[in-house]
mmCIF file with all atom_site columns, all heavy atoms in Angstrom:
data_model
loop_
_atom_site.group_PDB
_atom_site.id
_atom_site.type_symbol
_atom_site.label_atom_id
_atom_site.label_alt_id
_atom_site.label_comp_id
_atom_site.label_asym_id
_atom_site.label_entity_id
_atom_site.label_seq_id
_atom_site.pdbx_PDB_ins_code
_atom_site.Cartn_x
_atom_site.Cartn_y
_atom_site.Cartn_z
_atom_site.occupancy
_atom_site.B_iso_or_equiv
_atom_site.pdbx_formal_charge
_atom_site.auth_seq_id
_atom_site.auth_comp_id
_atom_site.auth_asym_id
_atom_site.auth_atom_id
_atom_site.pdbx_PDB_model_num
ATOM 1   N N   . GLY A 1 2   ? 13.669 -113.241 121.921 1.00 61.00 ? 2   GLY A N   1
ATOM 2   C CA  . GLY A 1 2   ? 14.420 -113.247 120.687 1.00 61.00 ? 2   GLY A CA  1
ATOM 3   C C   . GLY A 1 2   ? 15.886 -113.457 120.963 1.00 61.00 ? 2   GLY A C   1
ATOM 4   O O   . GLY A 1 2   ? 16.325 -114.268 121.728 1.00 61.00 ? 2   GLY A O   1
ATOM 5   N N   . SER A 1 12  ? 6.549  -106.481 140.533 1.00 92.00 ? 12  SER A N   1
ATOM 6   C CA  . SER A 1 12  ? 5.617  -105.523 141.092 1.00 92.00 ? 12  SER A CA  1
ATOM 7   C C   . SER A 1 12  ? 5.435  -105.846 142.582 1.00 92.00 ? 12  SER A C   1
ATOM 8   O O   . SER A 1 12  ? 5.779  -106.941 143.016 1.00 92.00 ? 12  SER A O   1
ATOM 9   C CB  . SER A 1 12  ? 4.268  -105.569 140.394 1.00 92.00 ? 12  SER A CB  1
ATOM 10  O OG  . SER A 1 12  ? 3.707  -106.871 140.521 1.00 92.00 ? 12  SER A OG  1
ATOM 11  N N   . ASN A 1 40  ? 5.048  -103.570 126.556 1.00 86.00 ? 40  ASN A N   1
ATOM 12  C CA  . ASN A 1 40  ? 6.463  -103.226 126.534 1.00 86.00 ? 40  ASN A CA  1
ATOM 13  C C   . ASN A 1 40  ? 6.627  -101.734 126.579 1.00 86.00 ? 40  ASN A C   1
ATOM 14  O O   . ASN A 1 40  ? 5.748  -101.009 126.151 1.00 86.00 ? 40  ASN A O   1
ATOM 15  C CB  . ASN A 1 40  ? 7.159  -103.844 125.303 1.00 86.00 ? 40  ASN A CB  1
ATOM 16  C CG  . ASN A 1 40  ? 6.635  -103.287 124.017 1.00 86.00 ? 40  ASN A CG  1
ATOM 17  O OD1 . ASN A 1 40  ? 6.892  -102.165 123.655 1.00 86.00 ? 40  ASN A OD1 1
ATOM 18  N ND2 . ASN A 1 40  ? 5.922  -104.108 123.281 1.00 86.00 ? 40  ASN A ND2 1
ATOM 19  N N   . SER A 1 42  ? 9.373  -98.755  125.513 1.00 74.00 ? 42  SER A N   1
ATOM 20  C CA  . SER A 1 42  ? 10.530 -98.499  124.762 1.00 74.00 ? 42  SER A CA  1
ATOM 21  C C   . SER A 1 42  ? 11.240 -97.271  125.269 1.00 74.00 ? 42  SER A C   1
ATOM 22  O O   . SER A 1 42  ? 10.631 -96.286  125.688 1.00 74.00 ? 42  SER A O   1
ATOM 23  C CB  . SER A 1 42  ? 10.160 -98.282  123.273 1.00 74.00 ? 42  SER A CB  1
ATOM 24  O OG  . SER A 1 42  ? 9.613  -99.404  122.696 1.00 74.00 ? 42  SER A OG  1
ATOM 25  N N   . ILE A 1 51  ? 16.605 -101.514 136.058 1.00 93.00 ? 51  ILE A N   1
ATOM 26  C CA  . ILE A 1 51  ? 15.246 -101.077 136.299 1.00 93.00 ? 51  ILE A CA  1
ATOM 27  C C   . ILE A 1 51  ? 14.901 -101.334 137.719 1.00 93.00 ? 51  ILE A C   1
ATOM 28  O O   . ILE A 1 51  ? 15.298 -102.298 138.336 1.00 93.00 ? 51  ILE A O   1
ATOM 29  C CB  . ILE A 1 51  ? 14.233 -101.790 135.352 1.00 93.00 ? 51  ILE A CB  1
ATOM 30  C CG1 . ILE A 1 51  ? 14.320 -103.311 135.518 1.00 93.00 ? 51  ILE A CG1 1
ATOM 31  C CG2 . ILE A 1 51  ? 14.406 -101.365 133.919 1.00 93.00 ? 51  ILE A CG2 1
ATOM 32  C CD1 . ILE A 1 51  ? 13.218 -104.051 134.754 1.00 93.00 ? 51  ILE A CD1 1
ATOM 33  N N   . SER A 1 54  ? 9.556  -98.064  142.535 1.00 96.00 ? 54  SER A N   1
ATOM 34  C CA  . SER A 1 54  ? 9.505  -97.199  143.702 1.00 96.00 ? 54  SER A CA  1
ATOM 35  C C   . SER A 1 54  ? 8.896  -97.973  144.864 1.00 96.00 ? 54  SER A C   1
ATOM 36  O O   . SER A 1 54  ? 8.122  -98.895  144.719 1.00 96.00 ? 54  SER A O   1
ATOM 37  C CB  . SER A 1 54  ? 8.673  -95.916  143.417 1.00 96.00 ? 54  SER A CB  1
ATOM 38  O OG  . SER A 1 54  ? 7.367  -96.290  143.064 1.00 96.00 ? 54  SER A OG  1
ATOM 39  N N   . CYS A 1 86  ? 23.220 -86.006  132.460 1.00 66.00 ? 86  CYS A N   1
ATOM 40  C CA  . CYS A 1 86  ? 24.516 -85.453  132.053 1.00 66.00 ? 86  CYS A CA  1
ATOM 41  C C   . CYS A 1 86  ? 24.307 -84.595  130.850 1.00 66.00 ? 86  CYS A C   1
ATOM 42  O O   . CYS A 1 86  ? 24.529 -85.010  129.730 1.00 66.00 ? 86  CYS A O   1
ATOM 43  C CB  . CYS A 1 86  ? 25.510 -86.581  131.782 1.00 66.00 ? 86  CYS A CB  1
ATOM 44  S SG  . CYS A 1 86  ? 27.168 -85.996  131.439 1.00 66.00 ? 86  CYS A SG  1
ATOM 45  N N   . LEU A 1 96  ? 28.735 -83.945  117.981 1.00 46.00 ? 96  LEU A N   1
ATOM 46  C CA  . LEU A 1 96  ? 29.741 -84.927  117.638 1.00 46.00 ? 96  LEU A CA  1
ATOM 47  C C   . LEU A 1 96  ? 30.143 -84.927  116.150 1.00 46.00 ? 96  LEU A C   1
ATOM 48  O O   . LEU A 1 96  ? 31.355 -84.980  115.851 1.00 46.00 ? 96  LEU A O   1
ATOM 49  C CB  . LEU A 1 96  ? 29.290 -86.353  118.033 1.00 46.00 ? 96  LEU A CB  1
ATOM 50  C CG  . LEU A 1 96  ? 30.309 -87.485  117.856 1.00 46.00 ? 96  LEU A CG  1
ATOM 51  C CD1 . LEU A 1 96  ? 31.610 -87.183  118.655 1.00 46.00 ? 96  LEU A CD1 1
ATOM 52  C CD2 . LEU A 1 96  ? 29.724 -88.787  118.341 1.00 46.00 ? 96  LEU A CD2 1
ATOM 53  N N   . LEU A 1 114 ? 20.355 -97.393  140.197 1.00 94.00 ? 114 LEU A N   1
ATOM 54  C CA  . LEU A 1 114 ? 19.340 -96.438  140.643 1.00 94.00 ? 114 LEU A CA  1
ATOM 55  C C   . LEU A 1 114 ? 18.829 -96.838  142.046 1.00 94.00 ? 114 LEU A C   1
ATOM 56  O O   . LEU A 1 114 ? 18.836 -97.978  142.356 1.00 94.00 ? 114 LEU A O   1
ATOM 57  C CB  . LEU A 1 114 ? 18.184 -96.385  139.646 1.00 94.00 ? 114 LEU A CB  1
ATOM 58  C CG  . LEU A 1 114 ? 18.454 -95.942  138.212 1.00 94.00 ? 114 LEU A CG  1
ATOM 59  C CD1 . LEU A 1 114 ? 17.229 -96.270  137.326 1.00 94.00 ? 114 LEU A CD1 1
ATOM 60  C CD2 . LEU A 1 114 ? 18.730 -94.439  138.169 1.00 94.00 ? 114 LEU A CD2 1
ATOM 61  N N   . GLN A 1 133 ? 24.055 -88.632  141.733 1.00 88.00 ? 133 GLN A N   1
ATOM 62  C CA  . GLN A 1 133 ? 23.134 -87.518  141.658 1.00 88.00 ? 133 GLN A CA  1
ATOM 63  C C   . GLN A 1 133 ? 21.769 -87.909  142.272 1.00 88.00 ? 133 GLN A C   1
ATOM 64  O O   . GLN A 1 133 ? 21.401 -89.081  142.307 1.00 88.00 ? 133 GLN A O   1
ATOM 65  C CB  . GLN A 1 133 ? 22.898 -87.102  140.213 1.00 88.00 ? 133 GLN A CB  1
ATOM 66  C CG  . GLN A 1 133 ? 24.170 -86.634  139.473 1.00 88.00 ? 133 GLN A CG  1
ATOM 67  C CD  . GLN A 1 133 ? 23.979 -86.663  137.980 1.00 88.00 ? 133 GLN A CD  1
ATOM 68  O OE1 . GLN A 1 133 ? 24.017 -87.721  137.368 1.00 88.00 ? 133 GLN A OE1 1
ATOM 69  N NE2 . GLN A 1 133 ? 23.800 -85.521  137.348 1.00 88.00 ? 133 GLN A NE2 1
ATOM 70  N N   . LEU A 1 158 ? 20.342 -96.454  149.605 1.00 92.00 ? 158 LEU A N   1
ATOM 71  C CA  . LEU A 1 158 ? 19.942 -95.346  150.415 1.00 92.00 ? 158 LEU A CA  1
ATOM 72  C C   . LEU A 1 158 ? 19.586 -95.786  151.837 1.00 92.00 ? 158 LEU A C   1
ATOM 73  O O   . LEU A 1 158 ? 19.054 -96.889  152.011 1.00 92.00 ? 158 LEU A O   1
ATOM 74  C CB  . LEU A 1 158 ? 18.734 -94.613  149.818 1.00 92.00 ? 158 LEU A CB  1
ATOM 75  C CG  . LEU A 1 158 ? 19.012 -93.605  148.654 1.00 92.00 ? 158 LEU A CG  1
ATOM 76  C CD1 . LEU A 1 158 ? 17.709 -93.339  147.941 1.00 92.00 ? 158 LEU A CD1 1
ATOM 77  C CD2 . LEU A 1 158 ? 19.637 -92.357  149.174 1.00 92.00 ? 158 LEU A CD2 1
ATOM 78  N N   . SER A 1 170 ? 34.281 -99.313  141.736 1.00 85.00 ? 170 SER A N   1
ATOM 79  C CA  . SER A 1 170 ? 35.037 -100.321 140.990 1.00 85.00 ? 170 SER A CA  1
ATOM 80  C C   . SER A 1 170 ? 36.398 -100.661 141.605 1.00 85.00 ? 170 SER A C   1
ATOM 81  O O   . SER A 1 170 ? 36.979 -101.672 141.318 1.00 85.00 ? 170 SER A O   1
ATOM 82  C CB  . SER A 1 170 ? 35.280 -99.795  139.538 1.00 85.00 ? 170 SER A CB  1
ATOM 83  O OG  . SER A 1 170 ? 35.995 -98.554  139.533 1.00 85.00 ? 170 SER A OG  1
ATOM 84  N N   . THR A 1 179 ? 23.011 -87.095  151.294 1.00 88.00 ? 179 THR A N   1
ATOM 85  C CA  . THR A 1 179 ? 22.078 -86.712  150.220 1.00 88.00 ? 179 THR A CA  1
ATOM 86  C C   . THR A 1 179 ? 21.583 -85.288  150.412 1.00 88.00 ? 179 THR A C   1
ATOM 87  O O   . THR A 1 179 ? 20.951 -84.737  149.509 1.00 88.00 ? 179 THR A O   1
ATOM 88  C CB  . THR A 1 179 ? 20.835 -87.667  150.224 1.00 88.00 ? 179 THR A CB  1
ATOM 89  O OG1 . THR A 1 179 ? 20.162 -87.555  151.448 1.00 88.00 ? 179 THR A OG1 1
ATOM 90  C CG2 . THR A 1 179 ? 21.285 -89.123  150.037 1.00 88.00 ? 179 THR A CG2 1
ATOM 91  N N   . TYR A 1 195 ? 33.995 -104.582 147.787 1.00 84.00 ? 195 TYR A N   1
ATOM 92  C CA  . TYR A 1 195 ? 32.658 -104.622 148.376 1.00 84.00 ? 195 TYR A CA  1
ATOM 93  C C   . TYR A 1 195 ? 31.622 -104.358 147.291 1.00 84.00 ? 195 TYR A C   1
ATOM 94  O O   . TYR A 1 195 ? 31.685 -103.396 146.551 1.00 84.00 ? 195 TYR A O   1
ATOM 95  C CB  . TYR A 1 195 ? 32.561 -103.591 149.463 1.00 84.00 ? 195 TYR A CB  1
ATOM 96  C CG  . TYR A 1 195 ? 33.640 -103.719 150.522 1.00 84.00 ? 195 TYR A CG  1
ATOM 97  C CD1 . TYR A 1 195 ? 34.557 -102.693 150.720 1.00 84.00 ? 195 TYR A CD1 1
ATOM 98  C CD2 . TYR A 1 195 ? 33.739 -104.875 151.271 1.00 84.00 ? 195 TYR A CD2 1
ATOM 99  C CE1 . TYR A 1 195 ? 35.547 -102.848 151.692 1.00 84.00 ? 195 TYR A CE1 1
ATOM 100 C CE2 . TYR A 1 195 ? 34.744 -105.016 152.213 1.00 84.00 ? 195 TYR A CE2 1
ATOM 101 C CZ  . TYR A 1 195 ? 35.640 -104.022 152.430 1.00 84.00 ? 195 TYR A CZ  1
ATOM 102 O OH  . TYR A 1 195 ? 36.610 -104.142 153.371 1.00 84.00 ? 195 TYR A OH  1
ATOM 103 N N   . GLY A 1 232 ? 32.881 -94.351  161.319 1.00 90.00 ? 232 GLY A N   1
ATOM 104 C CA  . GLY A 1 232 ? 33.593 -95.429  160.685 1.00 90.00 ? 232 GLY A CA  1
ATOM 105 C C   . GLY A 1 232 ? 34.062 -96.513  161.610 1.00 90.00 ? 232 GLY A C   1
ATOM 106 O O   . GLY A 1 232 ? 34.707 -97.484  161.165 1.00 90.00 ? 232 GLY A O   1
#
Side-chain angles (χ1 to χ4, degrees):
S12 61
N40 64 72
S42 297
I51 56 173
S54 60
C86 186
L96 184 59
L114 297 167
Q133 299 163 284
L158 279 165
S170 58
T179 61
Y195 305 118

